[in-house]
Amino acid sequence: MKTKPFLSHDDVVTLLNGARAEAQKNQWAVTIAVVDDGGHLLGHYRLDGAAPMSARMAPAKARTAALGRRETKVYEDMINNGRTAFLSAPDLDGMLEGGVPVLVDGHVVGAVGVSGVKSTEDAQIAKAGISALLGA
């Protein structure tokens, strides 16, 4: 039987706090979500001033990144480049930049999704959370 790494509760807290620090450093009001490799919500912060819609979009971006095993920007780019049929992909409803998978030893163990500012800034925040966990 094969084994694989997984996110512990402490890992989730580290991801959330690392992302939150990046958002607060830049005074960005966002929602941050962390999911496991199956897209199930493990942790969620909605910072003061974050738009209500961001509380739905951040988990959707995280889930899409985890299930698709790639950054959500890939999907946004495909759609923007004319592959609009991809909008009908099942269970992928966060196809905007800001969802980033967490890779450990070649395994996707989960993902971080952020919503509330420009999509490039959402991704910056998500990657800061992952850097806080993996030190990369």
Side-chain angles (χ1 to χ4, degrees):
M1 178 174 288
K2 295 183 179 184
T3 60
K4 65 179 184 175
F6 64 91
L7 293 174
S8 70
H9 173 76
D10 289 343
D11 296 335
V12 172
V13 171
T14 299
L15 287 163
L16 287 169
N17 287 338
R20 181 180 63 185
E22 180 71 13
Q24 290 176 327
K25 176 179 81 174
N26 291 288
Q27 299 179 10
W28 292 332
V30 298
T31 297
I32 305 157
V34 175
V35 300
D36 67 12
D37 62 335
H40 304 97
L41 188 63
L42 298 175
H44 188 256
Y45 285 169
R46 182 172 165 210
L47 303 184
D48 292 344
M53 179 60 183
S54 69
R56 293 202 165 207
M57 184 55 73
K61 288 180 180 183
R63 184 173 47 257
T64 297
L67 294 175
R69 307 291 196 246
R70 60 187 55 146
E71 288 193 40
T72 53
K73 182 179 185 340
V74 171
Y75 299 112
E76 182 177 7
D77 288 346
M78 282 193 312
I79 293 163
N80 287 341
N81 288 322
R83 195 165 178 205
T84 56
F86 212 84
L87 290 167
S88 64
D91 298 323
L92 302 181
D93 55 356
M95 294 188 280
L96 298 170
E97 185 175 8
V100 181
V102 180
L103 293 164
V104 176
D105 297 330
H107 296 276
V108 174
V109 297
V112 180
V114 179
S115 180
V117 287
K118 293 178 187 174
S119 60
T120 55
E121 295 165 346
D122 288 342
Q124 175 183 331
I125 295 165
K127 289 174 183 177
I130 294 168
S131 290
L133 177 65
L134 302 179

